[in-house]
Amino acid sequence: MSPVLKTLISEDQIKTRVAELAAQIDRDYAGQELILVGVLNGAFIFLADLARRLQLPVRIDFIRLTSYGTAAVSSGEVRIMKDVELPLRDRHVLVVEDIMDSGLTLDFLRRHLLGHRPASLKICCLIDKLERQDVKVPLDYVGFTVPKGFLVGYGLDYAHQYRHCPEICELSLENADPQ
Ligand code: IMP
Ligand code: MG
C-alpha cells in the first residue's frame, strides 16, 4: 500500500478563510478578552495563524486529548493527556480545533471545559467532516466542510506524518502498481 495525497484545500484558500474567521471573531467578541484553547497536536498551525490575525487581546492555552492512537479510526475513548493551565472561570473561552469527525472529542472537551464555569464557551473548528458525526456538537465557527475522507496537512496527521504540509490533502492508501 502506498499513500496517495490529493490537494483539497490550497494554501491561499486556507489563508483567506482564516482571515475571515478572525475578522468574525474580532467582531463577535469586540470589547472583550478571549482565551483561546488549542487542541494539541492537530490545531497547532491553525491556532498560530488564527491568533496572529486577531486584533482582540487574547491569552493562549493548550489541551491535549487522545482518542486515535496511530489509527485512522477513533477508538471511541477520549482521554486528557495535558490539561489547560490558565484559570477559565468567568472568562470567554474559544476552543480551537482542527477537525470534527465523530464529534466524540469535542463533546468530551465541551463538557470538560464547561466544568471550569467560563463566562462563555464557543468552538472554532477548521474542518467539519460530515461523514460520521455520532454526537452532535454545536460549532460556532467553521472553516470548511468536507463530505468525507481522511485529511492530512496544515496540522492534521496520519500516524504523526504530514502535519507540516502547507495545504490540506485527502490521503488514500492504494495498492502500488504491480510491476
Ligand atoms: P472525533 O472525536 O471523531 O470527532 O475526532 C476528532 C479528532 O480526530 C481530531 O481532533 C483529529 O485529531 C482526529 N481526526 C479526525 N478526522 C481526521 C482526519 O481526517 N485526519 C486527521 N485527523 C483526524
Ligand atoms: Mg485533534
Side-chain angles (χ1 to χ4, degrees), residues 67-68 74 97-106 129 132 149-152 156-157:
S67 68
Y68 271 48
S74 174
E97 171 64 311
D98 53 2
I99 189 164
M100 181 165 85
D101 183 12
S102 69
L104 285 170
T105 304
L106 278 173
K129 215 199 276 186
R132 287 180 53 206
F150 195 82
L151 310 187
V152 296
L156 292 157
D157 76 310

PDB file of all heavy atoms in Angstrom, residues 67-68 74 97-106 129 132 149-152 156-157, ligand 1:
ATOM      1  N   SER A  67      -7.637  10.054  21.331  1.00  0.00           N
ATOM      2  CA  SER A  67      -8.638   9.007  21.140  1.00  0.00           C
ATOM      3  C   SER A  67      -8.219   8.082  20.016  1.00  0.00           C
ATOM      4  O   SER A  67      -8.711   6.979  19.909  1.00  0.00           O
ATOM      5  CB  SER A  67     -10.008   9.600  20.808  1.00  0.00           C
ATOM      6  OG  SER A  67      -9.960  10.203  19.537  1.00  0.00           O
ATOM      7  N   TYR A  68      -7.271   8.546  19.230  1.00  0.00           N
ATOM      8  CA  TYR A  68      -6.980   7.823  17.991  1.00  0.00           C
ATOM      9  C   TYR A  68      -5.763   6.914  18.050  1.00  0.00           C
ATOM     10  O   TYR A  68      -5.683   5.985  17.281  1.00  0.00           O
ATOM     11  CB  TYR A  68      -6.741   8.841  16.848  1.00  0.00           C
ATOM     12  CG  TYR A  68      -7.998   9.215  16.123  1.00  0.00           C
ATOM     13  CD1 TYR A  68      -9.140   9.568  16.810  1.00  0.00           C
ATOM     14  CD2 TYR A  68      -8.040   9.192  14.741  1.00  0.00           C
ATOM     15  CE1 TYR A  68     -10.292   9.906  16.155  1.00  0.00           C
ATOM     16  CE2 TYR A  68      -9.190   9.531  14.070  1.00  0.00           C
ATOM     17  CZ  TYR A  68     -10.312   9.889  14.778  1.00  0.00           C
ATOM     18  OH  TYR A  68     -11.444  10.224  14.116  1.00  0.00           O
ATOM     19  N   SER A  74     -11.279   6.235  15.069  1.00  0.00           N
ATOM     20  CA  SER A  74     -11.270   6.530  16.500  1.00  0.00           C
ATOM     21  C   SER A  74     -11.499   5.276  17.332  1.00  0.00           C
ATOM     22  O   SER A  74     -12.294   4.415  16.981  1.00  0.00           O
ATOM     23  CB  SER A  74     -12.366   7.541  16.821  1.00  0.00           C
ATOM     24  OG  SER A  74     -12.458   7.721  18.211  1.00  0.00           O
ATOM     25  N   GLU A  97      -9.987  23.927  17.282  1.00  0.00           N
ATOM     26  CA  GLU A  97      -9.780  22.509  16.957  1.00  0.00           C
ATOM     27  C   GLU A  97      -9.540  22.355  15.459  1.00  0.00           C
ATOM     28  O   GLU A  97      -9.981  23.190  14.658  1.00  0.00           O
ATOM     29  CB  GLU A  97     -11.015  21.721  17.437  1.00  0.00           C
ATOM     30  CG  GLU A  97     -11.115  20.273  17.016  1.00  0.00           C
ATOM     31  CD  GLU A  97     -10.027  19.349  17.566  1.00  0.00           C
ATOM     32  OE1 GLU A  97      -8.840  19.711  17.466  1.00  0.00           O
ATOM     33  OE2 GLU A  97     -10.371  18.262  18.045  1.00  0.00           O
ATOM     34  N   ASP A  98      -8.843  21.290  15.089  1.00  0.00           N
ATOM     35  CA  ASP A  98      -8.546  21.087  13.671  1.00  0.00           C
ATOM     36  C   ASP A  98      -9.732  20.528  12.900  1.00  0.00           C
ATOM     37  O   ASP A  98     -10.126  21.055  11.868  1.00  0.00           O
ATOM     38  CB  ASP A  98      -7.303  20.183  13.488  1.00  0.00           C
ATOM     39  CG  ASP A  98      -7.384  18.859  14.239  1.00  0.00           C
ATOM     40  OD1 ASP A  98      -8.415  18.577  14.893  1.00  0.00           O
ATOM     41  OD2 ASP A  98      -6.403  18.087  14.170  1.00  0.00           O
ATOM     42  N   ILE A  99     -10.332  19.459  13.402  1.00  0.00           N
ATOM     43  CA  ILE A  99     -11.347  18.769  12.601  1.00  0.00           C
ATOM     44  C   ILE A  99     -12.328  18.025  13.509  1.00  0.00           C
ATOM     45  O   ILE A  99     -11.933  17.519  14.557  1.00  0.00           O
ATOM     46  CB  ILE A  99     -10.651  17.791  11.613  1.00  0.00           C
ATOM     47  CG1 ILE A  99     -11.639  17.200  10.604  1.00  0.00           C
ATOM     48  CG2 ILE A  99      -9.897  16.703  12.329  1.00  0.00           C
ATOM     49  CD1 ILE A  99     -10.937  16.548   9.404  1.00  0.00           C
ATOM     50  N   MET A 100     -13.590  18.021  13.121  1.00  0.00           N
ATOM     51  CA  MET A 100     -14.564  17.197  13.839  1.00  0.00           C
ATOM     52  C   MET A 100     -14.986  16.054  12.934  1.00  0.00           C
ATOM     53  O   MET A 100     -15.399  16.268  11.802  1.00  0.00           O
ATOM     54  CB  MET A 100     -15.788  18.003  14.256  1.00  0.00           C
ATOM     55  CG  MET A 100     -16.782  17.128  15.017  1.00  0.00           C
ATOM     56  SD  MET A 100     -18.033  18.038  15.924  1.00  0.00           S
ATOM     57  CE  MET A 100     -19.225  18.304  14.629  1.00  0.00           C
ATOM     58  N   ASP A 101     -14.867  14.846  13.482  1.00  0.00           N
ATOM     59  CA  ASP A 101     -15.264  13.655  12.722  1.00  0.00           C
ATOM     60  C   ASP A 101     -16.483  13.041  13.411  1.00  0.00           C
ATOM     61  O   ASP A 101     -17.621  13.386  13.097  1.00  0.00           O
ATOM     62  CB  ASP A 101     -14.068  12.695  12.665  1.00  0.00           C
ATOM     63  CG  ASP A 101     -14.359  11.462  11.839  1.00  0.00           C
ATOM     64  OD1 ASP A 101     -15.375  11.432  11.130  1.00  0.00           O
ATOM     65  OD2 ASP A 101     -13.562  10.504  11.894  1.00  0.00           O
ATOM     66  N   SER A 102     -16.279  12.169  14.398  1.00  0.00           N
ATOM     67  CA  SER A 102     -17.432  11.582  15.104  1.00  0.00           C
ATOM     68  C   SER A 102     -18.068  12.591  16.052  1.00  0.00           C
ATOM     69  O   SER A 102     -19.224  12.441  16.429  1.00  0.00           O
ATOM     70  CB  SER A 102     -16.983  10.358  15.903  1.00  0.00           C
ATOM     71  OG  SER A 102     -16.170  10.759  16.985  1.00  0.00           O
ATOM     72  N   GLY A 103     -17.302  13.589  16.483  1.00  0.00           N
ATOM     73  CA  GLY A 103     -17.784  14.560  17.460  1.00  0.00           C
ATOM     74  C   GLY A 103     -17.464  14.168  18.897  1.00  0.00           C
ATOM     75  O   GLY A 103     -17.660  14.957  19.824  1.00  0.00           O
ATOM     76  N   LEU A 104     -16.932  12.959  19.100  1.00  0.00           N
ATOM     77  CA  LEU A 104     -16.667  12.472  20.468  1.00  0.00           C
ATOM     78  C   LEU A 104     -15.660  13.357  21.201  1.00  0.00           C
ATOM     79  O   LEU A 104     -15.831  13.677  22.373  1.00  0.00           O
ATOM     80  CB  LEU A 104     -16.122  11.042  20.422  1.00  0.00           C
ATOM     81  CG  LEU A 104     -17.138   9.947  20.117  1.00  0.00           C
ATOM     82  CD1 LEU A 104     -16.429   8.623  19.850  1.00  0.00           C
ATOM     83  CD2 LEU A 104     -18.108   9.798  21.290  1.00  0.00           C
ATOM     84  N   THR A 105     -14.602  13.756  20.489  1.00  0.00           N
ATOM     85  CA  THR A 105     -13.548  14.558  21.129  1.00  0.00           C
ATOM     86  C   THR A 105     -14.101  15.907  21.571  1.00  0.00           C
ATOM     87  O   THR A 105     -13.913  16.316  22.727  1.00  0.00           O
ATOM     88  CB  THR A 105     -12.372  14.782  20.144  1.00  0.00           C
ATOM     89  OG1 THR A 105     -11.904  13.505  19.706  1.00  0.00           O
ATOM     90  CG2 THR A 105     -11.248  15.546  20.791  1.00  0.00           C
ATOM     91  N   LEU A 106     -14.805  16.591  20.671  1.00  0.00           N
ATOM     92  CA  LEU A 106     -15.312  17.928  21.010  1.00  0.00           C
ATOM     93  C   LEU A 106     -16.440  17.850  22.041  1.00  0.00           C
ATOM     94  O   LEU A 106     -16.574  18.744  22.871  1.00  0.00           O
ATOM     95  CB  LEU A 106     -15.764  18.659  19.753  1.00  0.00           C
ATOM     96  CG  LEU A 106     -14.617  19.325  18.994  1.00  0.00           C
ATOM     97  CD1 LEU A 106     -15.091  19.895  17.664  1.00  0.00           C
ATOM     98  CD2 LEU A 106     -13.967  20.433  19.840  1.00  0.00           C
ATOM     99  N   LYS A 129     -16.268  17.585   9.271  1.00  0.00           N
ATOM    100  CA  LYS A 129     -16.416  16.435   8.374  1.00  0.00           C
ATOM    101  C   LYS A 129     -17.822  15.870   8.545  1.00  0.00           C
ATOM    102  O   LYS A 129     -18.220  15.535   9.661  1.00  0.00           O
ATOM    103  CB  LYS A 129     -15.371  15.377   8.752  1.00  0.00           C
ATOM    104  CG  LYS A 129     -14.828  14.604   7.577  1.00  0.00           C
ATOM    105  CD  LYS A 129     -14.186  13.311   8.010  1.00  0.00           C
ATOM    106  CE  LYS A 129     -12.763  13.434   8.459  1.00  0.00           C
ATOM    107  NZ  LYS A 129     -12.171  12.104   8.723  1.00  0.00           N
ATOM    108  N   ARG A 132     -19.569  11.246   9.558  1.00  0.00           N
ATOM    109  CA  ARG A 132     -19.993  10.409  10.690  1.00  0.00           C
ATOM    110  C   ARG A 132     -20.881  11.147  11.689  1.00  0.00           C
ATOM    111  O   ARG A 132     -22.066  10.928  11.762  1.00  0.00           O
ATOM    112  CB  ARG A 132     -18.768   9.828  11.390  1.00  0.00           C
ATOM    113  CG  ARG A 132     -18.138   8.738  10.558  1.00  0.00           C
ATOM    114  CD  ARG A 132     -16.928   8.153  11.239  1.00  0.00           C
ATOM    115  NE  ARG A 132     -17.180   7.696  12.584  1.00  0.00           N
ATOM    116  CZ  ARG A 132     -16.250   7.613  13.509  1.00  0.00           C
ATOM    117  NH1 ARG A 132     -15.036   7.982  13.249  1.00  0.00           N
ATOM    118  NH2 ARG A 132     -16.535   7.155  14.708  1.00  0.00           N
ATOM    119  N   GLY A 149     -13.694  11.426   3.928  1.00  0.00           N
ATOM    120  CA  GLY A 149     -12.281  11.231   3.597  1.00  0.00           C
ATOM    121  C   GLY A 149     -11.379  11.440   4.803  1.00  0.00           C
ATOM    122  O   GLY A 149     -11.802  11.980   5.819  1.00  0.00           O
ATOM    123  N   PHE A 150     -10.137  10.976   4.697  1.00  0.00           N
ATOM    124  CA  PHE A 150      -9.146  11.189   5.750  1.00  0.00           C
ATOM    125  C   PHE A 150      -8.191  12.268   5.280  1.00  0.00           C
ATOM    126  O   PHE A 150      -7.545  12.134   4.244  1.00  0.00           O
ATOM    127  CB  PHE A 150      -8.394   9.897   6.092  1.00  0.00           C
ATOM    128  CG  PHE A 150      -7.655  10.035   7.385  1.00  0.00           C
ATOM    129  CD1 PHE A 150      -8.312   9.863   8.598  1.00  0.00           C
ATOM    130  CD2 PHE A 150      -6.317  10.397   7.399  1.00  0.00           C
ATOM    131  CE1 PHE A 150      -7.640  10.046   9.811  1.00  0.00           C
ATOM    132  CE2 PHE A 150      -5.644  10.584   8.602  1.00  0.00           C
ATOM    133  CZ  PHE A 150      -6.310  10.402   9.801  1.00  0.00           C
ATOM    134  N   LEU A 151      -8.114  13.356   6.052  1.00  0.00           N
ATOM    135  CA  LEU A 151      -7.370  14.539   5.621  1.00  0.00           C
ATOM    136  C   LEU A 151      -6.063  14.679   6.386  1.00  0.00           C
ATOM    137  O   LEU A 151      -5.997  14.352   7.572  1.00  0.00           O
ATOM    138  CB  LEU A 151      -8.216  15.798   5.828  1.00  0.00           C
ATOM    139  CG  LEU A 151      -9.646  15.759   5.284  1.00  0.00           C
ATOM    140  CD1 LEU A 151     -10.288  17.122   5.409  1.00  0.00           C
ATOM    141  CD2 LEU A 151      -9.671  15.303   3.838  1.00  0.00           C
ATOM    142  N   VAL A 152      -5.062  15.193   5.701  1.00  0.00           N
ATOM    143  CA  VAL A 152      -3.774  15.473   6.336  1.00  0.00           C
ATOM    144  C   VAL A 152      -3.269  16.846   5.886  1.00  0.00           C
ATOM    145  O   VAL A 152      -3.745  17.400   4.892  1.00  0.00           O
ATOM    146  CB  VAL A 152      -2.705  14.395   5.996  1.00  0.00           C
ATOM    147  CG1 VAL A 152      -3.085  13.038   6.553  1.00  0.00           C
ATOM    148  CG2 VAL A 152      -2.452  14.311   4.491  1.00  0.00           C
ATOM    149  N   LEU A 156      -2.907  18.516  10.495  1.00  0.00           N
ATOM    150  CA  LEU A 156      -3.533  17.182  10.558  1.00  0.00           C
ATOM    151  C   LEU A 156      -2.535  16.103  10.160  1.00  0.00           C
ATOM    152  O   LEU A 156      -1.780  16.275   9.198  1.00  0.00           O
ATOM    153  CB  LEU A 156      -4.713  17.119   9.585  1.00  0.00           C
ATOM    154  CG  LEU A 156      -5.907  17.985   9.945  1.00  0.00           C
ATOM    155  CD1 LEU A 156      -6.727  18.284   8.702  1.00  0.00           C
ATOM    156  CD2 LEU A 156      -6.745  17.286  10.990  1.00  0.00           C
ATOM    157  N   ASP A 157      -2.595  14.988  10.887  1.00  0.00           N
ATOM    158  CA  ASP A 157      -1.609  13.945  10.628  1.00  0.00           C
ATOM    159  C   ASP A 157      -2.234  12.600  10.299  1.00  0.00           C
ATOM    160  O   ASP A 157      -3.407  12.355  10.552  1.00  0.00           O
ATOM    161  CB  ASP A 157      -0.730  13.743  11.867  1.00  0.00           C
ATOM    162  CG  ASP A 157      -1.462  12.960  12.959  1.00  0.00           C
ATOM    163  OD1 ASP A 157      -2.610  13.350  13.293  1.00  0.00           O
ATOM    164  OD2 ASP A 157      -0.928  11.960  13.455  1.00  0.00           O
TER     165      ASP A 157
HETATM  166  P1  IMP B   1     -13.628  12.801  16.567  1.00  0.00           P
HETATM  167  O1  IMP B   1     -13.541  12.585  18.051  1.00  0.00           O
HETATM  168  O2  IMP B   1     -14.001  11.520  15.850  1.00  0.00           O
HETATM  169  O3  IMP B   1     -14.521  13.952  16.177  1.00  0.00           O
HETATM  170  O4  IMP B   1     -12.191  13.066  16.048  1.00  0.00           O
HETATM  171  C1  IMP B   1     -11.558  14.246  16.261  1.00  0.00           C
HETATM  172  C2  IMP B   1     -10.066  14.100  16.260  1.00  0.00           C
HETATM  173  O5  IMP B   1      -9.608  13.029  15.447  1.00  0.00           O
HETATM  174  C3  IMP B   1      -9.497  15.359  15.658  1.00  0.00           C
HETATM  175  O6  IMP B   1      -9.117  16.214  16.706  1.00  0.00           O
HETATM  176  C4  IMP B   1      -8.317  14.874  14.864  1.00  0.00           C
HETATM  177  O7  IMP B   1      -7.159  14.953  15.654  1.00  0.00           O
HETATM  178  C5  IMP B   1      -8.616  13.432  14.546  1.00  0.00           C
HETATM  179  N1  IMP B   1      -9.139  13.298  13.179  1.00  0.00           N
HETATM  180  C6  IMP B   1     -10.416  13.129  12.779  1.00  0.00           C
HETATM  181  N2  IMP B   1     -10.526  13.059  11.436  1.00  0.00           N
HETATM  182  C7  IMP B   1      -9.272  13.223  10.969  1.00  0.00           C
HETATM  183  C8  IMP B   1      -8.716  13.290   9.644  1.00  0.00           C
HETATM  184  O8  IMP B   1      -9.398  13.192   8.606  1.00  0.00           O
HETATM  185  N3  IMP B   1      -7.369  13.474   9.577  1.00  0.00           N
HETATM  186  C9  IMP B   1      -6.577  13.612  10.654  1.00  0.00           C
HETATM  187  N4  IMP B   1      -7.049  13.576  11.921  1.00  0.00           N
HETATM  188  C10 IMP B   1      -8.385  13.371  12.072  1.00  0.00           C
END
